[in-house]
Amino acid sequence: MSRVKAIGIDVGSTTAKIVAVDENGEMIWRYIEPTDPRIEDQVDRFLEKLKEELSISDEELKKIPIVATGYGRKLVHQAKKKLTEITCHAKGVYKSLGHGGTLVDIGGQDSKVIVISNDGKVVDFTMNDKCAAGTGRFLENTAMRMKVPLDKMGELALSAPEEVKISSVCTVFAESEIISMIAHGVAVEPILKGLHRGLISRIVAMIRSVGLTPPLMLSGGVVKNPAVRKMLEEATGQKVILPEYPQFMGAYGAALIALESTKSEN
Amino acid sequence: MDILEKIPSRREVIESFKSTGGKIAAVYPYHYHRALFRAFDILPVEVWGPPGIDTTYGSSYLQPYVCSVVHSGLSFYLSGGLDVVDFIVVPHACDSLQGLGSVYIDFVKPKQPVFTIYIPRGRKDLDVEFLSKEFESIFNRLKELTGKSVTEDKLMEEILKEEEALKKVRELYSKREQISLSDYHFYRVVRSREYLPAEKFMEIADHLLENFSDGTEREGVPVIFSGLLPEPMEILEKLEEIDGRIVADDFACCGRRLYGEGKSNNPFVRMAESILNSPPDSSRGATVDERVEHLSSLVKKYGARGVVFYIVKFCEMELFYIPHMMRGLKERGIPSVYIEVDINDPLPDQTITRLEAFVEVL
């Protein structure tokens, strides 16, 4: 009999994630890949992979509840329930770290700040507006423009002894500004540092709008960027805590909610 | 029968009204008195945008940071949408609308006469006196323009008719939970008051109350919406899909116009008393405390679990209040969320996600 008791799927704008949990809500399997425009097919592939790697039969899989979250959640027809990233991230992070606080999740297309109570409930939240500034896409775009590998961006930014001020944190205008700076002979590293500062200032404004309840926690793909974490600590004066699998918190939370639903049904 | 089938469109109403010799006044948001125009056989038809039109026409007169309601409103005129109307009325609800009034008078110079109405911010006797004089001067100008010798008795007759229609709106709101209609349908009915003659509106409201009040309790997470207007109206359908429902509102086009009745026997004073006896709102310079108190009382009265500030982008008069009001509500233990919209844009997924997350949290 399979150990998998619930599945969570987080279809983000950049990556799609799947998590399987056991009856205690422990994460026993996870998988991530870039989001495919054909989301239903991708989720089918995810489930095939899960079946194969954990030796689950079709019959068993049919009985496992699935909750979907993320930007593409509505297209996951395999899910019995669809919930927003706010609820799922809060759930996943609370279970992973065992306490509340202020969670910053910087995703590919949106960023959110969620205040989680000591009993794991969402007290307040805010999300970035429709523009891409303050999101992972902001860094992705500028990395591409500067021909810097995305995974090296943070390190390079931190290596700069000084930074230039990017006056605009609009993704489109920032690109023009970068081109102008490069044309004026400004080195790449200080520009990168300035860009990170711009992103962090957007995030800090969001944190202030809901009020910082320590500790400060971070999740989402941008966590892999060391400059984001360091600069966030500098800007808030708070140590930033990361869960073990920061990119999977949405899918994990979705799986936990799916698990709770089976328990309440039973 | 679908209640929407009973509601004629703005175009149908205008054509039908004009065919009987009546005239049309295009009225911008949002405080004015319908009776003032009806006394002259003029039907006020409100211009809340309309949403989804080409706003480039208005861009040559307005800054990009003027809200989409005003941008659309002027663009609608410039693209010929208001050719059918005989008068244009611009109440001073905010600086942008005051600016629109000036743009019309000083630059656009439409063929139709333009009326501006200054609504005082206070509620004192002096404010009533000022507004009654404002109404009286419009009344006198309409007399001149139409050549009709409308008496004050006739005006009072129209005022009483509008008061009856307003009572009907109140009844719809008070019985909202027993009316088995979606929020989308309910607001289509309530908002038809923006252009229907009082008598036609009451007919529809009566039909609704008689045929749709089956006592079935509505389901979904109860919330209150605050803002200018529920546009794009798709937001109401989305709210239902995510298991939410509006139990009361603080919309400029709806709840903020549940005026109290005037008491005076002087028709101008009575209209002024009524308009100034409206729930506290941003256009009237209400204090943050008054607005928080008003929303808190709605939350309590209707058992709402939270407040959605559904705000038109660049709506300065609303935006000044939002952080303070959210804080004020939070101090009272009432969660709220801020959502920004542009009435000309399709509803973005992020907006829906934000609303959905809020409903989940509640």
Side-chain angles (χ1 to χ4, degrees), chain A residues 73 84 87 128-130, chain B residues 330 340 350 354 356 360:
Chain A
R73 65 187 177 280
T84 64
T87 304
N128 69 306
D129 212 334
K130 282 162 276 185
Chain B
K330 195 174 185 177
E340 189 175 81
Q350 276 181 320
R354 203 173 292 200
E356 197 170 350
E360 283 172 11

Side-chain angles (χ1 to χ4, degrees), chain B residues 233-250:
Chain B
M233 284 192 81
E234 185 194 351
I235 189 72
L236 302 176
E237 293 170 314
K238 292 292 174 195
L239 179 68
E240 193 172 1
E241 277 174 28
I242 58 179
D243 199 27
R245 73 181 206 272
I246 300 181
V247 287
D249 75 70
D250 174 47

Side-chain angles (χ1 to χ4, degrees), chain A residues 71 73-74 82-87 109-110 122-125 127-131 210, chain B residues 313 330 335-337 340-342 345 348-354 356-358 360-361:
Chain A
Y71 160 80
R73 65 187 177 280
K74 284 173 185 149
K82 288 140 192 178
L83 291 166
T84 64
E85 306 90 292
I86 305 289
T87 304
Q109 187 171 270
D110 66 18
V122 175
V123 178
D124 205 350
F125 71 92
M127 294 169 75
N128 69 306
D129 212 334
K130 282 162 276 185
C131 87
V210 291
Chain B
K313 192 172 182 175
K330 195 174 185 177
S336 63
V337 69
E340 189 175 81
V341 289
D342 184 312
D345 287 346
D349 267 351
Q350 276 181 320
T351 299
I352 299 163
T353 295
R354 203 173 292 200
E356 197 170 350
F358 186 61
E360 283 172 11
V361 167

Side-chain angles (χ1 to χ4, degrees), chain B residues 93-317:
Chain B
C94 62
D95 290 349
S96 298
L97 279 162
Q98 185 194 24
L100 178 67
S102 302
V103 166
Y104 266 127
I105 294 168
D106 297 333
F107 301 105
V108 176
K109 300 182 195 301
K111 64 176 195 267
Q112 302 95 330
V114 177
F115 292 83
T116 55
I117 307 177
Y118 183 80
I119 310 287
R121 302 211 141 201
R123 293 165 191 264
K124 299 189 188 104
D125 290 349
L126 195 63
D127 300 303
V128 173
E129 190 184 334
F130 176 90
L131 188 57
S132 66
K133 297 282 179 213
E134 188 87 336
F135 285 153
E136 194 170 357
S137 84
I138 293 172
F139 181 79
N140 289 333
R141 197 168 158 215
L142 284 171
K143 263 183 170 178
E144 279 173 32
L145 290 167
T146 60
K148 288 184 178 172
S149 54
V150 174
T151 62
E152 290 190 9
D153 285 346
K154 166 70 177 159
L155 177 58
M156 187 58 99
E157 198 182 295
E158 292 298 331
I159 291 171
L160 296 176
K161 206 188 283 176
E162 294 298 332
E163 284 179 0
E164 281 307 305
L166 183 60
K167 269 187 202 161
K168 206 53 83 180
V169 181
R170 285 186 177 285
E171 193 179 348
L172 289 176
Y173 269 92
S174 68
K175 294 181 176 166
R176 173 68 189 108
E177 287 307 290
Q178 283 75 50
I179 298 173
S180 53
L181 270 190
S182 68
D183 280 329
Y184 176 80
H185 285 72
F186 180 77
Y187 280 97
R188 282 287 302 275
V189 173
V190 172
R191 293 193 64 198
S192 68
R193 173 118 175 90
E194 291 168 14
Y195 60 95
L196 285 181
E199 52 278 16
K200 179 69 182 167
F201 174 79
M202 284 194 285
E203 186 190 309
I204 291 170
D206 281 335
H207 175 81
L208 179 60
L209 288 164
E210 280 162 26
N211 298 287
F212 290 82
S213 306
D214 60 5
T216 314
E217 288 289 313
R218 297 167 68 217
E219 291 181 349
V221 177
V223 291
I224 284 168
F225 265 58
S226 175
L228 289 187
L229 71 171
E231 291 284 359
M233 284 192 81
E234 185 194 351
I235 189 72
L236 302 176
E237 293 170 314
K238 292 292 174 195
L239 179 68
E240 193 172 1
E241 277 174 28
I242 58 179
D243 199 27
R245 73 181 206 272
I246 300 181
V247 287
D249 75 70
D250 174 47
F251 281 130
C253 67
C254 306
R256 290 183 197 173
R257 298 199 293 184
L258 294 173
Y259 304 111
E261 275 178 24
K263 291 187 170 53
S264 174
N265 290 325
N266 175 307
F268 303 110
V269 175
R270 192 180 180 98
M271 287 190 290
E273 284 172 340
S274 173
I275 297 295
L276 296 184
N277 189 10
S278 59
D281 83 71
S282 50
S283 79
R284 303 277 326 288
T287 65
V288 171
D289 287 346
E290 285 167 341
R291 294 197 63 200
V292 169
E293 179 56 38
H294 174 61
L295 288 176
S296 304
S297 67
L298 288 179
V299 165
K300 201 171 166 188
K301 185 174 176 185
Y302 294 99
R305 289 198 219 153
V307 175
V308 178
F309 289 103
Y310 191 72
I311 306 298
V312 173
K313 192 172 182 175
F314 300 131
C315 180
E316 199 181 54
M317 68 171 188

Side-chain angles (χ1 to χ4, degrees), chain A residues 100-102 118 212-216 238:
Chain A
T102 305
N118 283 332
L212 200 165
T213 305
L216 187 59
Q238 294 284 326

Side-chain angles (χ1 to χ4, degrees), chain B residues 54-64 70-72 74-75 78:
Chain B
D54 179 1
T55 56
T56 52
Y57 291 96
S59 301
S60 50
Y61 292 96
L62 302 167
Q63 299 93 331
V70 174
H71 258 280
S72 296
L74 181 57
S75 299
L78 294 170

